[in-house]
Amino acid sequence: MTDRLDLLIIGAGPAGLSAADAAAREGLKYLVIEKGVIASTIHRYPIGRTVFSTTDELEMEPGALKPVSEKPTREELLSYYLHFALDRDLLINTDEAVTEIEPGSEGFNVKTSRGNYQTARVLFAIGAMAHPRWLNVPGEDLPKVHHRFVEPYPYVRRDALVVGGGNSAAEAALFLSEEGARTTLAIWRSDWENRDPKAGAMKHWVRTPLEREVAQGRMRVILYDRVEEITERIIMTRGNLNRGDEDPNKPPVVSITPVAAAPVNAPVTITTSVTDDGLPKPRPTVTRPQTTSSDGTIRAQANSSATGNRPRGLNVTWMQIRGPARVMVEPSGPILVAEGKATATLKFAQPGTYVLRATANDGALSTKSDVTITVEKR
């Protein structure tokens, strides 16, 4: 039993260190109890990780943290917090866990793995790293399942799935993808679509490079409702990691309505029907060729393929591939799909054979339908 304390602080992270520094400056009799090491949360960060926070959010005193680059690395931040404690000779007991706290006649009785303390006040300055959020599903205790991300290098050229929608999950997925892991981020639709920082959206300096990885086909994002089970594959209510080999993340399916005969220089209305599942699909796939027919003087044969594209929303764009004269298309830019349809007006200046391309973009993949149209002069 030690002498009675004015304040016992549990946790030696940034909050605990700041509280200890304030207590020392006020002349209080204090002690910090830490079950791990000083700045244990930072110590658990992936090795070499750049911390995606600005220095003013991390430093204990304005201008005290001076990283080499714009944002500090794990090692720079860890060194900064350690020297903050050492330079001030803060009273910290590491490797000592609090096991019980009981109210006493003049404060609290605190039991730890090393002894007992009496204190007038107790301040909890504990983080969340020591208490990971479990999914509570069958198979979560398998050796391949981890609740802490350390470094990406063991997963190079291996499949890695990150489940979560916060900055930590996004950063882990980003590091894995950048270092060569075949990475998939499973995230709730509400988290993926959230762009409001006040509503907990992932930070833009995390999201921007993450979306670049997705757009370039190096990372996959799937939306899901909940994880049901973990076996050799993860089973989800929505998403491509489901029972069976079929991948429900498919490109939009395009079909073109047959067009009635039209004379040269007369407007021709053509309607494109588009169906899509609404899920982000960063990796290219290929659909089977689709055929449309016409019963007039215009005959069309369409071949469809899917390729990766940057997110742009669900729309259809027409462009001319070849033909004897320029085809006028209205609207000339992307046509928004409304109730599964997008309508354009084509006008042919000369008779002959034309090849046009309708591209349907669902936000991650685009399906291209090359249409051969024969226009006969009446």
CSV table of all heavy atoms in Angstrom, one decimal, residues 136-188:
chain,number,residue,atom,x,y,z
A,136,ASN,N,-18.5,-11.7,-34.0
A,136,ASN,CA,-19.3,-12.7,-33.3
A,136,ASN,C,-20.0,-13.6,-34.2
A,136,ASN,O,-21.2,-13.8,-34.2
A,136,ASN,CB,-20.3,-12.0,-32.3
A,136,ASN,CG,-19.6,-11.3,-31.2
A,136,ASN,OD1,-18.6,-11.8,-30.6
A,136,ASN,ND2,-20.1,-10.1,-30.9
A,137,VAL,N,-19.2,-14.2,-35.2
A,137,VAL,CA,-19.8,-15.2,-36.1
A,137,VAL,C,-18.9,-16.4,-36.1
A,137,VAL,O,-17.8,-16.4,-35.7
A,137,VAL,CB,-19.7,-14.6,-37.6
A,137,VAL,CG1,-20.6,-13.3,-37.7
A,137,VAL,CG2,-18.3,-14.2,-38.0
A,138,PRO,N,-19.5,-17.5,-36.5
A,138,PRO,CA,-18.7,-18.8,-36.5
A,138,PRO,C,-17.5,-18.7,-37.4
A,138,PRO,O,-17.5,-18.1,-38.5
A,138,PRO,CB,-19.7,-19.8,-37.1
A,138,PRO,CG,-21.1,-19.2,-36.8
A,138,PRO,CD,-20.9,-17.7,-36.9
A,139,GLY,N,-16.4,-19.2,-36.9
A,139,GLY,CA,-15.2,-19.2,-37.7
A,139,GLY,C,-14.3,-18.0,-37.4
A,139,GLY,O,-13.2,-17.9,-38.0
A,140,GLU,N,-14.7,-17.1,-36.6
A,140,GLU,CA,-13.9,-15.9,-36.3
A,140,GLU,C,-12.6,-16.2,-35.6
A,140,GLU,O,-11.7,-15.3,-35.6
A,140,GLU,CB,-14.7,-14.8,-35.6
A,140,GLU,CG,-14.1,-13.4,-35.6
A,140,GLU,CD,-15.0,-12.4,-35.0
A,140,GLU,OE1,-16.1,-12.7,-34.6
A,140,GLU,OE2,-14.6,-11.2,-35.0
A,141,ASP,N,-12.6,-17.3,-34.9
A,141,ASP,CA,-11.4,-17.7,-34.2
A,141,ASP,C,-10.4,-18.5,-35.0
A,141,ASP,O,-9.4,-19.0,-34.5
A,141,ASP,CB,-11.8,-18.5,-32.9
A,141,ASP,CG,-12.6,-19.7,-33.3
A,141,ASP,OD1,-13.0,-19.8,-34.4
A,141,ASP,OD2,-12.8,-20.5,-32.4
A,142,LEU,N,-10.6,-18.6,-36.3
A,142,LEU,CA,-9.6,-19.3,-37.2
A,142,LEU,C,-8.3,-18.6,-37.2
A,142,LEU,O,-8.2,-17.4,-37.1
A,142,LEU,CB,-10.2,-19.4,-38.6
A,142,LEU,CG,-11.4,-20.4,-38.8
A,142,LEU,CD1,-11.9,-20.2,-40.2
A,142,LEU,CD2,-11.0,-21.8,-38.5
A,143,PRO,N,-7.2,-19.3,-37.4
A,143,PRO,CA,-5.9,-18.7,-37.4
A,143,PRO,C,-5.7,-17.6,-38.5
A,143,PRO,O,-4.9,-16.7,-38.3
A,143,PRO,CB,-4.9,-19.9,-37.7
A,143,PRO,CG,-5.7,-21.1,-37.2
A,143,PRO,CD,-7.1,-20.8,-37.5
A,144,LYS,N,-6.4,-17.7,-39.5
A,144,LYS,CA,-6.3,-16.7,-40.6
A,144,LYS,C,-7.0,-15.4,-40.3
A,144,LYS,O,-6.8,-14.4,-41.1
A,144,LYS,CB,-6.8,-17.3,-41.9
A,144,LYS,CG,-8.3,-17.5,-42.0
A,144,LYS,CD,-8.7,-17.9,-43.4
A,144,LYS,CE,-10.2,-18.0,-43.6
A,144,LYS,NZ,-10.6,-18.3,-44.9
A,145,VAL,N,-7.8,-15.3,-39.3
A,145,VAL,CA,-8.5,-14.1,-38.9
A,145,VAL,C,-7.8,-13.3,-37.9
A,145,VAL,O,-7.3,-13.8,-36.9
A,145,VAL,CB,-9.9,-14.5,-38.4
A,145,VAL,CG1,-10.7,-13.2,-38.0
A,145,VAL,CG2,-10.7,-15.3,-39.4
A,146,HIS,N,-7.6,-12.0,-38.2
A,146,HIS,CA,-6.8,-11.2,-37.3
A,146,HIS,C,-7.6,-9.9,-37.0
A,146,HIS,O,-8.4,-9.4,-37.8
A,146,HIS,CB,-5.5,-10.7,-37.9
A,146,HIS,CG,-4.6,-11.9,-38.4
A,146,HIS,ND1,-3.8,-12.6,-37.5
A,146,HIS,CD2,-4.5,-12.5,-39.6
A,146,HIS,CE1,-3.2,-13.6,-38.2
A,146,HIS,NE2,-3.6,-13.5,-39.4
A,147,HIS,N,-7.5,-9.4,-35.8
A,147,HIS,CA,-8.2,-8.2,-35.3
A,147,HIS,C,-7.3,-7.1,-35.2
A,147,HIS,O,-7.7,-6.0,-34.6
A,147,HIS,CB,-8.9,-8.5,-34.0
A,147,HIS,CG,-10.0,-9.5,-34.2
A,147,HIS,ND1,-9.8,-10.9,-34.1
A,147,HIS,CD2,-11.4,-9.4,-34.4
A,147,HIS,CE1,-10.9,-11.5,-34.3
A,147,HIS,NE2,-11.9,-10.7,-34.5
A,148,ARG,N,-6.0,-7.2,-35.6
A,148,ARG,CA,-5.1,-6.1,-35.6
A,148,ARG,C,-4.2,-6.2,-36.8
A,148,ARG,O,-3.7,-7.3,-37.1
A,148,ARG,CB,-4.2,-6.3,-34.3
A,148,ARG,CG,-3.1,-5.3,-34.2
A,148,ARG,CD,-2.1,-5.6,-33.1
A,148,ARG,NE,-0.9,-4.8,-33.2
A,148,ARG,CZ,0.3,-5.2,-32.6
A,148,ARG,NH1,0.3,-6.3,-31.9
A,148,ARG,NH2,1.3,-4.4,-32.8
A,149,PHE,N,-4.0,-5.1,-37.5
A,149,PHE,CA,-3.2,-5.0,-38.7
A,149,PHE,C,-1.8,-4.5,-38.3
A,149,PHE,O,-1.7,-3.4,-37.7
A,149,PHE,CB,-3.8,-4.1,-39.7
A,149,PHE,CG,-3.0,-3.9,-40.9
A,149,PHE,CD1,-2.7,-4.9,-41.8
A,149,PHE,CD2,-2.5,-2.6,-41.2
A,149,PHE,CE1,-1.9,-4.7,-42.9
A,149,PHE,CE2,-1.7,-2.4,-42.3
A,149,PHE,CZ,-1.4,-3.5,-43.2
A,150,VAL,N,-0.8,-5.2,-38.6
A,150,VAL,CA,0.6,-4.9,-38.2
A,150,VAL,C,1.4,-4.3,-39.4
A,150,VAL,O,1.9,-3.2,-39.4
A,150,VAL,CB,1.3,-6.1,-37.6
A,150,VAL,CG1,2.8,-5.7,-37.2
A,150,VAL,CG2,0.6,-6.5,-36.3
A,151,GLU,N,1.4,-5.1,-40.5
A,151,GLU,CA,2.2,-4.7,-41.7
A,151,GLU,C,1.6,-5.5,-42.9
A,151,GLU,O,1.1,-6.6,-42.7
A,151,GLU,CB,3.7,-4.9,-41.5
A,151,GLU,CG,4.0,-6.4,-41.2
A,151,GLU,CD,5.5,-6.5,-41.0
A,151,GLU,OE1,6.3,-5.6,-41.3
A,151,GLU,OE2,6.0,-7.6,-40.6
A,152,PRO,N,1.8,-5.0,-44.1
A,152,PRO,CA,1.2,-5.6,-45.3
A,152,PRO,C,2.1,-6.7,-45.9
A,152,PRO,O,1.6,-7.5,-46.7
A,152,PRO,CB,1.1,-4.4,-46.2
A,152,PRO,CG,2.2,-3.5,-45.9
A,152,PRO,CD,2.4,-3.6,-44.4
A,153,TYR,N,3.4,-6.8,-45.5
A,153,TYR,CA,4.3,-7.6,-46.3
A,153,TYR,C,4.1,-9.1,-46.3
A,153,TYR,O,4.4,-9.8,-47.2
A,153,TYR,CB,5.7,-7.2,-45.8
A,153,TYR,CG,6.0,-5.8,-45.9
A,153,TYR,CD1,6.1,-5.0,-44.8
A,153,TYR,CD2,6.1,-5.1,-47.1
A,153,TYR,CE1,6.3,-3.6,-44.8
A,153,TYR,CE2,6.2,-3.7,-47.2
A,153,TYR,CZ,6.4,-3.0,-46.1
A,153,TYR,OH,6.6,-1.7,-46.2
A,154,PRO,N,3.5,-9.6,-45.2
A,154,PRO,CA,3.2,-11.1,-45.2
A,154,PRO,C,2.1,-11.4,-46.2
A,154,PRO,O,1.9,-12.6,-46.5
A,154,PRO,CB,2.8,-11.4,-43.8
A,154,PRO,CG,3.3,-10.3,-43.0
A,154,PRO,CD,3.3,-9.1,-43.8
A,155,TYR,N,1.4,-10.4,-46.8
A,155,TYR,CA,0.2,-10.7,-47.6
A,155,TYR,C,0.5,-10.3,-49.1
A,155,TYR,O,-0.4,-10.3,-49.9
A,155,TYR,CB,-1.0,-9.9,-47.1
A,155,TYR,CG,-1.2,-10.1,-45.7
A,155,TYR,CD1,-0.8,-9.2,-44.7
A,155,TYR,CD2,-1.9,-11.3,-45.2
A,155,TYR,CE1,-1.0,-9.4,-43.4
A,155,TYR,CE2,-2.1,-11.5,-43.9
A,155,TYR,CZ,-1.6,-10.5,-42.9
A,155,TYR,OH,-1.8,-10.7,-41.6
A,156,VAL,N,1.8,-10.1,-49.5
A,156,VAL,CA,2.1,-9.8,-50.9
A,156,VAL,C,1.7,-10.9,-51.8
A,156,VAL,O,2.0,-12.1,-51.5
A,156,VAL,CB,3.6,-9.5,-51.0
A,156,VAL,CG1,3.9,-9.3,-52.5
A,156,VAL,CG2,3.9,-8.2,-50.2
A,157,ARG,N,0.9,-10.6,-52.8
A,157,ARG,CA,0.4,-11.6,-53.8
A,157,ARG,C,-0.5,-12.6,-53.1
A,157,ARG,O,-0.6,-13.8,-53.6
A,157,ARG,CB,1.6,-12.3,-54.5
A,157,ARG,CG,2.3,-11.3,-55.5
A,157,ARG,CD,3.3,-12.1,-56.3
A,157,ARG,NE,4.0,-11.2,-57.3
A,157,ARG,CZ,4.9,-11.6,-58.1
A,157,ARG,NH1,5.3,-12.8,-58.1
A,157,ARG,NH2,5.4,-10.7,-59.0
A,158,ARG,N,-1.1,-12.3,-52.0
A,158,ARG,CA,-2.1,-13.1,-51.4
A,158,ARG,C,-3.4,-12.4,-51.3
A,158,ARG,O,-3.4,-11.2,-51.3
A,158,ARG,CB,-1.6,-13.5,-50.0
A,158,ARG,CG,-0.3,-14.3,-50.0
A,158,ARG,CD,0.2,-14.7,-48.6
A,158,ARG,NE,-0.7,-15.6,-48.0
A,158,ARG,CZ,-0.6,-16.0,-46.7
A,158,ARG,NH1,0.4,-15.5,-46.0
A,158,ARG,NH2,-1.4,-16.8,-46.2
A,159,ASP,N,-4.5,-13.1,-51.1
A,159,ASP,CA,-5.8,-12.5,-51.0
A,159,ASP,C,-6.0,-12.0,-49.5
A,159,ASP,O,-5.7,-12.7,-48.6
A,159,ASP,CB,-6.9,-13.5,-51.3
A,159,ASP,CG,-6.9,-13.9,-52.7
A,159,ASP,OD1,-6.7,-13.0,-53.6
A,159,ASP,OD2,-7.1,-15.1,-53.0
A,160,ALA,N,-6.4,-10.8,-49.4
A,160,ALA,CA,-6.6,-10.2,-48.1
A,160,ALA,C,-7.9,-9.5,-48.1
A,160,ALA,O,-8.2,-8.7,-49.0
A,160,ALA,CB,-5.5,-9.2,-47.7
A,161,LEU,N,-8.8,-9.7,-47.1
A,161,LEU,CA,-10.1,-9.1,-47.0
A,161,LEU,C,-10.1,-8.3,-45.7
A,161,LEU,O,-9.7,-8.8,-44.6
A,161,LEU,CB,-11.2,-10.1,-46.9
A,161,LEU,CG,-12.6,-9.6,-46.6
A,161,LEU,CD1,-13.1,-8.7,-47.7
A,161,LEU,CD2,-13.5,-10.7,-46.2
A,162,VAL,N,-10.4,-7.0,-45.8
A,162,VAL,CA,-10.5,-6.1,-44.7
A,162,VAL,C,-12.0,-5.8,-44.5
A,162,VAL,O,-12.7,-5.3,-45.4
A,162,VAL,CB,-9.7,-4.8,-44.9
A,162,VAL,CG1,-9.9,-3.9,-43.7
A,162,VAL,CG2,-8.3,-5.1,-45.1
A,163,VAL,N,-12.6,-6.0,-43.3
A,163,VAL,CA,-14.0,-5.8,-43.0
A,163,VAL,C,-14.0,-4.6,-42.1
A,163,VAL,O,-13.5,-4.6,-41.0
A,163,VAL,CB,-14.6,-7.0,-42.3
A,163,VAL,CG1,-16.1,-6.7,-42.0
A,163,VAL,CG2,-14.5,-8.2,-43.3
A,164,GLY,N,-14.7,-3.5,-42.5
A,164,GLY,CA,-14.8,-2.3,-41.7
A,164,GLY,C,-15.0,-1.1,-42.5
A,164,GLY,O,-14.7,-1.1,-43.7
A,165,GLY,N,-15.6,0.0,-41.9
A,165,GLY,CA,-15.9,1.2,-42.7
A,165,GLY,C,-15.2,2.4,-42.1
A,165,GLY,O,-15.5,3.5,-42.7
A,166,GLY,N,-14.3,2.3,-41.1
A,166,GLY,CA,-13.7,3.5,-40.6
A,166,GLY,C,-12.3,3.8,-41.2
A,166,GLY,O,-11.9,3.1,-42.2
A,167,ASN,N,-11.6,4.8,-40.7
A,167,ASN,CA,-10.3,5.1,-41.2
A,167,ASN,C,-9.3,4.0,-41.0
A,167,ASN,O,-8.5,3.8,-41.9
A,167,ASN,CB,-9.8,6.4,-40.5
A,167,ASN,CG,-10.6,7.6,-41.0
A,167,ASN,OD1,-10.5,7.9,-42.2
A,167,ASN,ND2,-11.2,8.3,-40.1
A,168,SER,N,-9.4,3.3,-39.9
A,168,SER,CA,-8.4,2.2,-39.7
A,168,SER,C,-8.6,1.1,-40.7
A,168,SER,O,-7.6,0.6,-41.2
A,168,SER,CB,-8.6,1.6,-38.3
A,168,SER,OG,-8.3,2.6,-37.3
A,169,ALA,N,-9.8,0.7,-41.0
A,169,ALA,CA,-10.0,-0.3,-42.0
A,169,ALA,C,-9.6,0.2,-43.4
A,169,ALA,O,-8.9,-0.6,-44.2
A,169,ALA,CB,-11.5,-0.7,-42.1
A,170,ALA,N,-9.9,1.4,-43.7
A,170,ALA,CA,-9.5,2.0,-45.0
A,170,ALA,C,-8.0,2.1,-45.1
A,170,ALA,O,-7.5,1.8,-46.2
A,170,ALA,CB,-10.2,3.4,-45.2
A,171,GLU,N,-7.3,2.5,-44.1
A,171,GLU,CA,-5.9,2.6,-44.1
A,171,GLU,C,-5.2,1.2,-44.3
A,171,GLU,O,-4.3,1.0,-45.1
A,171,GLU,CB,-5.4,3.3,-42.9
A,171,GLU,CG,-5.7,4.7,-42.8
A,171,GLU,CD,-5.3,5.3,-41.4
A,171,GLU,OE1,-4.5,4.7,-40.7
A,171,GLU,OE2,-5.7,6.4,-41.1
A,172,ALA,N,-5.8,0.2,-43.6
A,172,ALA,CA,-5.2,-1.1,-43.7
A,172,ALA,C,-5.4,-1.6,-45.1
A,172,ALA,O,-4.4,-2.2,-45.7
A,172,ALA,CB,-5.9,-2.0,-42.7
A,173,ALA,N,-6.6,-1.4,-45.7
A,173,ALA,CA,-6.8,-1.9,-47.0
A,173,ALA,C,-5.9,-1.2,-48.0
A,173,ALA,O,-5.3,-1.7,-49.0
A,173,ALA,CB,-8.3,-1.6,-47.4
A,174,LEU,N,-5.7,0.1,-47.8
A,174,LEU,CA,-4.8,0.9,-48.7
A,174,LEU,C,-3.4,0.4,-48.6
A,174,LEU,O,-2.7,0.2,-49.6
A,174,LEU,CB,-4.9,2.4,-48.2
A,174,LEU,CG,-4.0,3.4,-49.0
A,174,LEU,CD1,-4.4,3.4,-50.5
A,174,LEU,CD2,-4.1,4.8,-48.5
A,175,PHE,N,-2.8,0.2,-47.4
A,175,PHE,CA,-1.5,-0.3,-47.2
A,175,PHE,C,-1.3,-1.6,-47.9
A,175,PHE,O,-0.3,-1.9,-48.6
A,175,PHE,CB,-1.1,-0.4,-45.8
A,175,PHE,CG,-1.0,1.0,-45.1
A,175,PHE,CD1,-1.4,1.1,-43.7
A,175,PHE,CD2,-0.6,2.1,-45.8
A,175,PHE,CE1,-1.4,2.3,-43.1
A,175,PHE,CE2,-0.5,3.3,-45.1
A,175,PHE,CZ,-0.9,3.5,-43.8
A,176,LEU,N,-2.3,-2.5,-47.7
A,176,LEU,CA,-2.2,-3.9,-48.3
A,176,LEU,C,-2.1,-3.8,-49.8
A,176,LEU,O,-1.3,-4.4,-50.5
A,176,LEU,CB,-3.4,-4.7,-47.8
A,176,LEU,CG,-3.3,-5.2,-46.4
A,176,LEU,CD1,-4.7,-5.6,-46.0
A,176,LEU,CD2,-2.4,-6.4,-46.3
A,177,SER,N,-3.0,-3.0,-50.4
A,177,SER,CA,-3.1,-2.8,-51.8
A,177,SER,C,-1.8,-2.2,-52.4
A,177,SER,O,-1.3,-2.7,-53.4
A,177,SER,CB,-4.3,-2.0,-52.2
A,177,SER,OG,-4.4,-1.8,-53.6
A,178,GLU,N,-1.3,-1.2,-51.8
A,178,GLU,CA,-0.1,-0.5,-52.3
A,178,GLU,C,1.1,-1.4,-52.2
A,178,GLU,O,2.0,-1.2,-53.0
A,178,GLU,CB,0.1,0.8,-51.5
A,178,GLU,CG,-0.9,1.9,-51.7
A,178,GLU,CD,-0.6,3.1,-50.9
A,178,GLU,OE1,0.0,3.0,-49.8
A,178,GLU,OE2,-1.1,4.2,-51.3
A,179,GLU,N,1.1,-2.4,-51.3
A,179,GLU,CA,2.3,-3.2,-51.2
A,179,GLU,C,2.1,-4.6,-51.9
A,179,GLU,O,2.8,-5.5,-51.7
A,179,GLU,CB,2.6,-3.4,-49.7
A,179,GLU,CG,3.0,-2.2,-49.0
A,179,GLU,CD,4.2,-1.5,-49.7
A,179,GLU,OE1,5.1,-2.1,-50.2
A,179,GLU,OE2,4.3,-0.2,-49.6
A,180,GLY,N,1.1,-4.7,-52.7
A,180,GLY,CA,1.0,-5.9,-53.6
A,180,GLY,C,0.1,-7.0,-53.1
A,180,GLY,O,0.1,-8.1,-53.7
A,181,ALA,N,-0.8,-6.8,-52.1
A,181,ALA,CA,-1.7,-7.8,-51.7
A,181,ALA,C,-3.0,-7.7,-52.6
A,181,ALA,O,-3.3,-6.6,-53.0
A,181,ALA,CB,-2.1,-7.6,-50.3
A,182,ARG,N,-3.6,-8.8,-52.9
A,182,ARG,CA,-4.9,-8.8,-53.6
A,182,ARG,C,-6.0,-8.4,-52.6
A,182,ARG,O,-6.5,-9.3,-52.0
A,182,ARG,CB,-5.1,-10.1,-54.3
A,182,ARG,CG,-4.1,-10.4,-55.4
A,182,ARG,CD,-4.5,-11.7,-56.2
A,182,ARG,NE,-4.5,-12.9,-55.3
A,182,ARG,CZ,-3.4,-13.7,-55.2
A,182,ARG,NH1,-2.3,-13.4,-55.8
A,182,ARG,NH2,-3.5,-14.7,-54.4
A,183,THR,N,-6.3,-7.1,-52.6
A,183,THR,CA,-7.1,-6.6,-51.4
A,183,THR,C,-8.5,-6.4,-51.8
A,183,THR,O,-8.8,-5.8,-52.8
A,183,THR,CB,-6.4,-5.3,-50.9
A,183,THR,OG1,-5.0,-5.5,-50.7
A,183,THR,CG2,-7.1,-4.8,-49.7
A,184,THR,N,-9.4,-6.7,-50.8
A,184,THR,CA,-10.8,-6.4,-50.9
A,184,THR,C,-11.2,-5.7,-49.6
A,184,THR,O,-10.9,-6.2,-48.5
A,184,THR,CB,-11.7,-7.7,-51.1
A,184,THR,OG1,-11.3,-8.4,-52.3
A,184,THR,CG2,-13.1,-7.4,-51.1
A,185,LEU,N,-11.9,-4.6,-49.8
A,185,LEU,CA,-12.5,-3.9,-48.6
A,185,LEU,C,-14.0,-4.1,-48.6
A,185,LEU,O,-14.7,-3.8,-49.5
A,185,LEU,CB,-12.2,-2.4,-48.7
A,185,LEU,CG,-12.9,-1.5,-47.6
A,185,LEU,CD1,-12.3,-1.9,-46.2
A,185,LEU,CD2,-12.6,0.0,-47.9
A,186,ALA,N,-14.5,-4.8,-47.5
A,186,ALA,CA,-15.9,-5.0,-47.3
A,186,ALA,C,-16.4,-3.9,-46.4
A,186,ALA,O,-16.0,-3.8,-45.3
A,186,ALA,CB,-16.1,-6.4,-46.7
A,187,ILE,N,-17.4,-3.2,-46.9
A,187,ILE,CA,-17.8,-2.0,-46.2
A,187,ILE,C,-19.3,-1.8,-46.3
A,187,ILE,O,-19.9,-2.2,-47.4
A,187,ILE,CB,-17.1,-0.7,-46.7
A,187,ILE,CG1,-17.4,0.5,-45.9
A,187,ILE,CG2,-17.3,-0.5,-48.2
A,187,ILE,CD1,-16.6,1.7,-46.3
A,188,TRP,N,-20.0,-1.3,-45.3
A,188,TRP,CA,-21.4,-1.0,-45.4
A,188,TRP,C,-21.6,0.1,-46.5
A,188,TRP,O,-20.8,1.0,-46.6
A,188,TRP,CB,-22.0,-0.6,-44.1
A,188,TRP,CG,-22.1,-1.7,-43.1
A,188,TRP,CD1,-22.1,-3.0,-43.4
A,188,TRP,CD2,-22.3,-1.5,-41.7
A,188,TRP,NE1,-22.3,-3.7,-42.2
A,188,TRP,CE2,-22.4,-2.9,-41.2
A,188,TRP,CE3,-22.4,-0.5,-40.8
A,188,TRP,CZ2,-22.6,-3.1,-39.8
A,188,TRP,CZ3,-22.6,-0.7,-39.5
A,188,TRP,CH2,-22.6,-2.0,-39.0
